[in-house]
Amino acid sequence: MLLSTLFFFFLSIALLASMGVIFSVRTTYNVLSLVLVFLATSGIFVMLNAAFLGFVLVILYVGAVAVFFLFAVMLFGNQIDQPTASEKKIFWPGVLIMILLTGLGFVFLLQEVRFASVAKGIETHFTASMIGETLYENYVEPLLAVALALLAAIFGGIYLTHKQKADHKRQRAFLQMHASGKKRLSYVHVDVKKGLQDD
Amino acid sequence: MIEATLTHTLFLGFCFFMLGVLGMVWKQRNFLLLLLSIELMLLGANVNMVAFARHLGDVGGHVFVLLTLAVAAAESAVGLALFVVYFRDQNNLSLSTPVLKG
């Protein structure tokens, strides 16, 4: 009973905060709402016997990704983003379509789940070692693919944000080999009376 | 008091995903909100996987959540790098100016 109450407490906080992510006008509040969403969801994960993933969510998302986003917000200033006229026009149709799609998906889902939930859910406490064993025994290829994706992300991030100095002294062999005197020397006609004129 | 079941957890995942979709469609010109919406959608998928792992007693769902988390971290890193480049180039975060074709 207490667990159910706690579950619905976390669930309502997560839902309200996820609305705050979308509907808040200040970028800082958007990011902080996302932090609240992750905290509440990690509570739900702990209640679903996924304690390890819950703490991973707190450490990885709240500790790293959200702080990352907050740094980006700090870098560019706390901007207030009021919805424009065209956005106000499509807001209610958008919400309506969202609710319809959620309802539709849920009706289909419930038909599947109704007889599934008759059998009681199996109570397994998933530990980190269980996850690790399964990961390294059965899911090695996805793990390698994800590792490659992270490597690519590192290189992509560095390549995109690394700003080269305009006056660096590095040798550029291609430019050197294709240097020609014609590009560097030019003869100009100097009028005796006027002198050298700037273009 | 109603008992917390699989259905409620799936409902939460559904709502996360649909709010993410709504955020992406509705506020298209806010770069940061696009990234946050993608995070929200991925979280919705993760909630679904953890719920079914609990229901079926299968640890595979947790493994996939771990993989999804890594992909989400990579995505947000590249997204924020693009964000920095875009801001350096344009001096604002609005995507409404037609610099990005498509």
Side-chain angles (χ1 to χ4, degrees):
Chain A
M1 188 57 99
L2 179 71
L3 280 180
S4 273
T5 319
L6 206 60
F7 182 88
F8 284 112
F9 173 70
F10 281 134
L11 190 128
S12 45
I13 284 183
L15 279 181
L16 286 176
S18 62
M19 283 174 193
V21 174
I22 310 296
F23 300 133
S24 177
V25 289
R26 284 173 184 269
T27 23
T28 320
Y29 292 166
N30 292 140
V31 181
L32 289 178
S33 303
L34 195 75
V35 171
L36 196 57
V37 168
F38 281 126
L39 285 176
T41 312
S42 80
I44 285 176
F45 275 14
V46 170
M47 303 189 79
L48 293 173
N49 298 347
F52 175 68
L53 283 183
F55 290 120
V56 162
L57 213 64
V58 171
I59 292 165
L60 198 80
Y61 269 98
V62 181
V65 175
V67 174
F68 203 26
F69 276 108
L70 275 178
F71 268 121
V73 172
M74 274 162 61
L75 208 58
F76 306 125
N78 183 11
Q79 308 210 341
I80 297 173
D81 185 35
Q82 295 288 357
T84 57
S86 62
E87 280 175 356
K88 274 179 187 157
K89 209 161 61 186
I90 64 164
F91 176 66
W92 286 113
V95 170
L96 201 68
I97 289 171
M98 189 201 98
I99 292 172
L100 271 178
L101 278 178
T102 314
L104 202 67
F106 220 66
V107 166
F108 280 118
L109 203 69
L110 276 180
Q111 287 175 345
E112 291 292 319
V113 172
R114 196 176 294 138
F115 49 86
S117 64
V118 173
K120 200 173 175 298
I122 306 144
E123 292 274 348
T124 322
H125 282 277
F126 301 103
T127 55
S129 66
M130 281 168 73
I131 299 173
E133 273 168 23
T134 319
L135 184 63
Y136 284 106
E137 275 171 15
N138 304 332
Y139 296 97
V140 179
E141 294 91 353
L143 183 73
L144 292 177
V146 160
L148 269 180
L150 277 173
L151 188 72
I154 291 170
F155 281 123
I158 292 173
Y159 176 73
L160 283 173
T161 49
H162 183 63
K163 206 176 182 180
Q164 251 179 6
K165 270 197 269 177
D167 57 340
H168 66 87
K169 304 285 193 291
R170 204 176 304 141
Q171 185 180 25
R172 279 183 282 195
F174 188 78
L175 288 180
Q176 277 184 349
M177 287 194 297
H178 290 267
S180 71
K182 282 175 189 168
K183 285 180 188 166
R184 299 187 175 176
L185 279 177
S186 61
Y187 295 99
V188 285
H189 178 73
V190 182
D191 199 356
V192 181
K193 286 171 187 168
K194 288 178 184 169
L196 191 63
Q197 301 250 325
D198 285 335
D199 288 326
Chain B
M1 190 69 206
I2 24 173
E3 202 71 19
T5 57
L6 174 70
T7 316
H8 298 110
T9 326
L10 292 180
F11 176 70
L12 182 71
F14 240 99
C15 283
F16 277 164
F17 191 83
M18 290 318 292
L19 276 168
V21 172
L22 182 71
M24 284 194 80
V25 175
W26 184 46
K27 284 264 184 88
Q28 284 180 355
R29 61 198 168 70
N30 190 338
F31 205 130
L32 196 74
L33 206 73
L34 284 185
L35 292 179
L36 293 182
S37 299
I38 291 172
E39 295 291 330
L40 212 56
M41 287 162 75
L42 286 167
L43 187 72
N46 285 348
V47 168
N48 270 8
M49 280 192 273
V50 170
F52 274 111
R54 160 83 163 72
H55 186 70
L56 302 171
D58 185 10
V59 80
H62 289 218
V63 174
F64 273 101
V65 170
L66 271 185
L67 298 177
T68 317
L69 284 181
V71 171
E75 168 267 320
S76 63
V78 175
L80 278 174
L82 279 173
F83 182 72
V84 168
V85 172
Y86 187 82
F87 191 81
R88 206 184 271 158
D89 194 47
Q90 296 289 313
N91 263 317
N92 63 9
L93 299 178
S94 173
L95 293 180
S96 53
T97 43
V99 273
L100 299 176
K101 305 281 193 297

PDB file of all heavy atoms in Angstrom, chain A residues 153-164, chain B residues 77-86 88:
ATOM      1  N   ALA A 153      31.077   9.875 -31.424  1.00  0.00           N
ATOM      2  CA  ALA A 153      30.526  11.089 -30.817  1.00  0.00           C
ATOM      3  C   ALA A 153      31.636  11.961 -30.248  1.00  0.00           C
ATOM      4  O   ALA A 153      31.600  13.188 -30.375  1.00  0.00           O
ATOM      5  CB  ALA A 153      29.530  10.717 -29.731  1.00  0.00           C
ATOM      6  N   ILE A 154      32.647  11.316 -29.646  1.00  0.00           N
ATOM      7  CA  ILE A 154      33.772  12.087 -29.102  1.00  0.00           C
ATOM      8  C   ILE A 154      34.466  12.844 -30.226  1.00  0.00           C
ATOM      9  O   ILE A 154      34.689  14.066 -30.151  1.00  0.00           O
ATOM     10  CB  ILE A 154      34.778  11.154 -28.399  1.00  0.00           C
ATOM     11  CG1 ILE A 154      34.179  10.574 -27.130  1.00  0.00           C
ATOM     12  CG2 ILE A 154      36.049  11.907 -28.051  1.00  0.00           C
ATOM     13  CD1 ILE A 154      35.015   9.489 -26.535  1.00  0.00           C
ATOM     14  N   PHE A 155      34.794  12.094 -31.324  1.00  0.00           N
ATOM     15  CA  PHE A 155      35.489  12.752 -32.420  1.00  0.00           C
ATOM     16  C   PHE A 155      34.624  13.833 -33.060  1.00  0.00           C
ATOM     17  O   PHE A 155      35.114  14.914 -33.396  1.00  0.00           O
ATOM     18  CB  PHE A 155      35.909  11.722 -33.471  1.00  0.00           C
ATOM     19  CG  PHE A 155      37.148  10.974 -33.077  1.00  0.00           C
ATOM     20  CD1 PHE A 155      37.144   9.601 -32.987  1.00  0.00           C
ATOM     21  CD2 PHE A 155      38.298  11.662 -32.772  1.00  0.00           C
ATOM     22  CE1 PHE A 155      38.278   8.918 -32.601  1.00  0.00           C
ATOM     23  CE2 PHE A 155      39.439  10.990 -32.394  1.00  0.00           C
ATOM     24  CZ  PHE A 155      39.422   9.612 -32.305  1.00  0.00           C
ATOM     25  N   GLY A 156      33.322  13.518 -33.210  1.00  0.00           N
ATOM     26  CA  GLY A 156      32.431  14.507 -33.804  1.00  0.00           C
ATOM     27  C   GLY A 156      32.347  15.769 -32.972  1.00  0.00           C
ATOM     28  O   GLY A 156      32.432  16.883 -33.502  1.00  0.00           O
ATOM     29  N   GLY A 157      32.227  15.605 -31.658  1.00  0.00           N
ATOM     30  CA  GLY A 157      32.139  16.764 -30.786  1.00  0.00           C
ATOM     31  C   GLY A 157      33.395  17.610 -30.842  1.00  0.00           C
ATOM     32  O   GLY A 157      33.338  18.837 -30.957  1.00  0.00           O
ATOM     33  N   ILE A 158      34.548  16.945 -30.822  1.00  0.00           N
ATOM     34  CA  ILE A 158      35.809  17.699 -30.867  1.00  0.00           C
ATOM     35  C   ILE A 158      35.963  18.385 -32.213  1.00  0.00           C
ATOM     36  O   ILE A 158      36.306  19.568 -32.292  1.00  0.00           O
ATOM     37  CB  ILE A 158      37.003  16.764 -30.587  1.00  0.00           C
ATOM     38  CG1 ILE A 158      36.952  16.287 -29.145  1.00  0.00           C
ATOM     39  CG2 ILE A 158      38.316  17.492 -30.824  1.00  0.00           C
ATOM     40  CD1 ILE A 158      37.966  15.241 -28.833  1.00  0.00           C
ATOM     41  N   TYR A 159      35.642  17.644 -33.286  1.00  0.00           N
ATOM     42  CA  TYR A 159      35.819  18.216 -34.618  1.00  0.00           C
ATOM     43  C   TYR A 159      34.921  19.430 -34.815  1.00  0.00           C
ATOM     44  O   TYR A 159      35.332  20.425 -35.403  1.00  0.00           O
ATOM     45  CB  TYR A 159      35.494  17.154 -35.678  1.00  0.00           C
ATOM     46  CG  TYR A 159      35.554  17.667 -37.081  1.00  0.00           C
ATOM     47  CD1 TYR A 159      36.769  17.942 -37.683  1.00  0.00           C
ATOM     48  CD2 TYR A 159      34.391  17.908 -37.797  1.00  0.00           C
ATOM     49  CE1 TYR A 159      36.832  18.439 -38.959  1.00  0.00           C
ATOM     50  CE2 TYR A 159      34.445  18.409 -39.072  1.00  0.00           C
ATOM     51  CZ  TYR A 159      35.668  18.666 -39.653  1.00  0.00           C
ATOM     52  OH  TYR A 159      35.721  19.172 -40.918  1.00  0.00           O
ATOM     53  N   LEU A 160      33.678  19.344 -34.287  1.00  0.00           N
ATOM     54  CA  LEU A 160      32.747  20.448 -34.514  1.00  0.00           C
ATOM     55  C   LEU A 160      33.120  21.675 -33.710  1.00  0.00           C
ATOM     56  O   LEU A 160      33.051  22.802 -34.205  1.00  0.00           O
ATOM     57  CB  LEU A 160      31.331  20.013 -34.153  1.00  0.00           C
ATOM     58  CG  LEU A 160      30.628  19.132 -35.170  1.00  0.00           C
ATOM     59  CD1 LEU A 160      29.322  18.639 -34.607  1.00  0.00           C
ATOM     60  CD2 LEU A 160      30.374  19.901 -36.437  1.00  0.00           C
ATOM     61  N   THR A 161      33.510  21.480 -32.448  1.00  0.00           N
ATOM     62  CA  THR A 161      33.678  22.650 -31.591  1.00  0.00           C
ATOM     63  C   THR A 161      35.107  23.172 -31.560  1.00  0.00           C
ATOM     64  O   THR A 161      35.327  24.273 -31.089  1.00  0.00           O
ATOM     65  CB  THR A 161      33.262  22.330 -30.147  1.00  0.00           C
ATOM     66  OG1 THR A 161      33.885  21.114 -29.766  1.00  0.00           O
ATOM     67  CG2 THR A 161      31.772  22.202 -30.040  1.00  0.00           C
ATOM     68  N   HIS A 162      36.066  22.388 -32.040  1.00  0.00           N
ATOM     69  CA  HIS A 162      37.450  22.835 -31.965  1.00  0.00           C
ATOM     70  C   HIS A 162      37.660  23.997 -32.935  1.00  0.00           C
ATOM     71  O   HIS A 162      37.442  23.880 -34.125  1.00  0.00           O
ATOM     72  CB  HIS A 162      38.385  21.686 -32.324  1.00  0.00           C
ATOM     73  CG  HIS A 162      39.820  22.050 -32.196  1.00  0.00           C
ATOM     74  ND1 HIS A 162      40.384  22.411 -30.993  1.00  0.00           N
ATOM     75  CD2 HIS A 162      40.806  22.123 -33.104  1.00  0.00           C
ATOM     76  CE1 HIS A 162      41.651  22.694 -31.182  1.00  0.00           C
ATOM     77  NE2 HIS A 162      41.935  22.529 -32.451  1.00  0.00           N
ATOM     78  N   LYS A 163      38.097  25.115 -32.369  1.00  0.00           N
ATOM     79  CA  LYS A 163      38.239  26.313 -33.185  1.00  0.00           C
ATOM     80  C   LYS A 163      39.726  26.522 -33.459  1.00  0.00           C
ATOM     81  O   LYS A 163      40.514  26.708 -32.535  1.00  0.00           O
ATOM     82  CB  LYS A 163      37.682  27.499 -32.406  1.00  0.00           C
ATOM     83  CG  LYS A 163      37.197  28.632 -33.253  1.00  0.00           C
ATOM     84  CD  LYS A 163      36.602  29.675 -32.343  1.00  0.00           C
ATOM     85  CE  LYS A 163      36.036  30.840 -33.101  1.00  0.00           C
ATOM     86  NZ  LYS A 163      35.468  31.810 -32.179  1.00  0.00           N
ATOM     87  N   GLN A 164      40.105  26.496 -34.743  1.00  0.00           N
ATOM     88  CA  GLN A 164      41.510  26.693 -35.052  1.00  0.00           C
ATOM     89  C   GLN A 164      41.845  28.179 -35.040  1.00  0.00           C
ATOM     90  O   GLN A 164      41.069  29.004 -35.489  1.00  0.00           O
ATOM     91  CB  GLN A 164      41.822  26.105 -36.420  1.00  0.00           C
ATOM     92  CG  GLN A 164      42.654  24.871 -36.285  1.00  0.00           C
ATOM     93  CD  GLN A 164      42.956  24.245 -37.611  1.00  0.00           C
ATOM     94  OE1 GLN A 164      42.638  24.801 -38.647  1.00  0.00           O
ATOM     95  NE2 GLN A 164      43.555  23.093 -37.570  1.00  0.00           N
TER      96      GLN A 164
ATOM     97  N   ALA B  77      25.826  14.668 -26.748  1.00  0.00           N
ATOM     98  CA  ALA B  77      27.143  15.294 -26.905  1.00  0.00           C
ATOM     99  C   ALA B  77      27.264  15.931 -28.288  1.00  0.00           C
ATOM    100  O   ALA B  77      27.638  17.101 -28.418  1.00  0.00           O
ATOM    101  CB  ALA B  77      28.243  14.259 -26.708  1.00  0.00           C
ATOM    102  N   VAL B  78      26.901  15.166 -29.333  1.00  0.00           N
ATOM    103  CA  VAL B  78      26.988  15.716 -30.689  1.00  0.00           C
ATOM    104  C   VAL B  78      25.999  16.856 -30.871  1.00  0.00           C
ATOM    105  O   VAL B  78      26.302  17.891 -31.480  1.00  0.00           O
ATOM    106  CB  VAL B  78      26.749  14.602 -31.728  1.00  0.00           C
ATOM    107  CG1 VAL B  78      26.710  15.170 -33.110  1.00  0.00           C
ATOM    108  CG2 VAL B  78      27.842  13.577 -31.642  1.00  0.00           C
ATOM    109  N   GLY B  79      24.783  16.688 -30.287  1.00  0.00           N
ATOM    110  CA  GLY B  79      23.774  17.735 -30.401  1.00  0.00           C
ATOM    111  C   GLY B  79      24.242  19.032 -29.779  1.00  0.00           C
ATOM    112  O   GLY B  79      24.075  20.109 -30.368  1.00  0.00           O
ATOM    113  N   LEU B  80      24.857  18.955 -28.593  1.00  0.00           N
ATOM    114  CA  LEU B  80      25.317  20.189 -27.946  1.00  0.00           C
ATOM    115  C   LEU B  80      26.501  20.791 -28.693  1.00  0.00           C
ATOM    116  O   LEU B  80      26.649  22.012 -28.726  1.00  0.00           O
ATOM    117  CB  LEU B  80      25.674  19.914 -26.493  1.00  0.00           C
ATOM    118  CG  LEU B  80      24.454  19.904 -25.591  1.00  0.00           C
ATOM    119  CD1 LEU B  80      24.837  19.493 -24.200  1.00  0.00           C
ATOM    120  CD2 LEU B  80      23.819  21.267 -25.550  1.00  0.00           C
ATOM    121  N   ALA B  81      27.335  19.933 -29.321  1.00  0.00           N
ATOM    122  CA  ALA B  81      28.424  20.477 -30.131  1.00  0.00           C
ATOM    123  C   ALA B  81      27.865  21.265 -31.313  1.00  0.00           C
ATOM    124  O   ALA B  81      28.315  22.382 -31.603  1.00  0.00           O
ATOM    125  CB  ALA B  81      29.326  19.353 -30.622  1.00  0.00           C
ATOM    126  N   LEU B  82      26.838  20.698 -31.964  1.00  0.00           N
ATOM    127  CA  LEU B  82      26.178  21.416 -33.058  1.00  0.00           C
ATOM    128  C   LEU B  82      25.577  22.732 -32.567  1.00  0.00           C
ATOM    129  O   LEU B  82      25.659  23.759 -33.239  1.00  0.00           O
ATOM    130  CB  LEU B  82      25.060  20.554 -33.641  1.00  0.00           C
ATOM    131  CG  LEU B  82      25.463  19.485 -34.628  1.00  0.00           C
ATOM    132  CD1 LEU B  82      24.261  18.641 -34.962  1.00  0.00           C
ATOM    133  CD2 LEU B  82      25.987  20.135 -35.880  1.00  0.00           C
ATOM    134  N   PHE B  83      24.990  22.665 -31.367  1.00  0.00           N
ATOM    135  CA  PHE B  83      24.380  23.812 -30.714  1.00  0.00           C
ATOM    136  C   PHE B  83      25.415  24.936 -30.534  1.00  0.00           C
ATOM    137  O   PHE B  83      25.177  26.094 -30.863  1.00  0.00           O
ATOM    138  CB  PHE B  83      23.885  23.271 -29.383  1.00  0.00           C
ATOM    139  CG  PHE B  83      23.162  24.187 -28.477  1.00  0.00           C
ATOM    140  CD1 PHE B  83      21.886  24.590 -28.771  1.00  0.00           C
ATOM    141  CD2 PHE B  83      23.757  24.591 -27.302  1.00  0.00           C
ATOM    142  CE1 PHE B  83      21.212  25.398 -27.888  1.00  0.00           C
ATOM    143  CE2 PHE B  83      23.078  25.389 -26.421  1.00  0.00           C
ATOM    144  CZ  PHE B  83      21.797  25.794 -26.727  1.00  0.00           C
ATOM    145  N   VAL B  84      26.602  24.560 -30.056  1.00  0.00           N
ATOM    146  CA  VAL B  84      27.669  25.540 -29.839  1.00  0.00           C
ATOM    147  C   VAL B  84      28.089  26.145 -31.169  1.00  0.00           C
ATOM    148  O   VAL B  84      28.228  27.380 -31.297  1.00  0.00           O
ATOM    149  CB  VAL B  84      28.868  24.865 -29.139  1.00  0.00           C
ATOM    150  CG1 VAL B  84      30.071  25.775 -29.162  1.00  0.00           C
ATOM    151  CG2 VAL B  84      28.525  24.508 -27.724  1.00  0.00           C
ATOM    152  N   VAL B  85      28.261  25.295 -32.195  1.00  0.00           N
ATOM    153  CA  VAL B  85      28.682  25.793 -33.506  1.00  0.00           C
ATOM    154  C   VAL B  85      27.633  26.725 -34.080  1.00  0.00           C
ATOM    155  O   VAL B  85      27.938  27.801 -34.607  1.00  0.00           O
ATOM    156  CB  VAL B  85      28.935  24.603 -34.456  1.00  0.00           C
ATOM    157  CG1 VAL B  85      29.168  25.090 -35.853  1.00  0.00           C
ATOM    158  CG2 VAL B  85      30.110  23.811 -33.980  1.00  0.00           C
ATOM    159  N   TYR B  86      26.365  26.320 -33.935  1.00  0.00           N
ATOM    160  CA  TYR B  86      25.272  27.126 -34.463  1.00  0.00           C
ATOM    161  C   TYR B  86      25.210  28.474 -33.771  1.00  0.00           C
ATOM    162  O   TYR B  86      25.051  29.517 -34.401  1.00  0.00           O
ATOM    163  CB  TYR B  86      23.954  26.380 -34.280  1.00  0.00           C
ATOM    164  CG  TYR B  86      22.782  27.042 -34.938  1.00  0.00           C
ATOM    165  CD1 TYR B  86      22.552  26.861 -36.294  1.00  0.00           C
ATOM    166  CD2 TYR B  86      21.923  27.853 -34.232  1.00  0.00           C
ATOM    167  CE1 TYR B  86      21.498  27.474 -36.908  1.00  0.00           C
ATOM    168  CE2 TYR B  86      20.861  28.475 -34.845  1.00  0.00           C
ATOM    169  CZ  TYR B  86      20.658  28.278 -36.181  1.00  0.00           C
ATOM    170  OH  TYR B  86      19.623  28.900 -36.798  1.00  0.00           O
ATOM    171  N   ARG B  88      27.652  30.042 -32.299  1.00  0.00           N
ATOM    172  CA  ARG B  88      28.824  30.824 -32.666  1.00  0.00           C
ATOM    173  C   ARG B  88      28.608  31.489 -34.018  1.00  0.00           C
ATOM    174  O   ARG B  88      29.022  32.614 -34.265  1.00  0.00           O
ATOM    175  CB  ARG B  88      30.025  29.893 -32.725  1.00  0.00           C
ATOM    176  CG  ARG B  88      31.342  30.550 -32.484  1.00  0.00           C
ATOM    177  CD  ARG B  88      32.433  29.550 -32.668  1.00  0.00           C
ATOM    178  NE  ARG B  88      32.754  28.822 -31.454  1.00  0.00           N
ATOM    179  CZ  ARG B  88      33.352  27.641 -31.459  1.00  0.00           C
ATOM    180  NH1 ARG B  88      33.653  27.050 -32.602  1.00  0.00           N
ATOM    181  NH2 ARG B  88      33.640  27.046 -30.335  1.00  0.00           N
TER     182      ARG B  88
END
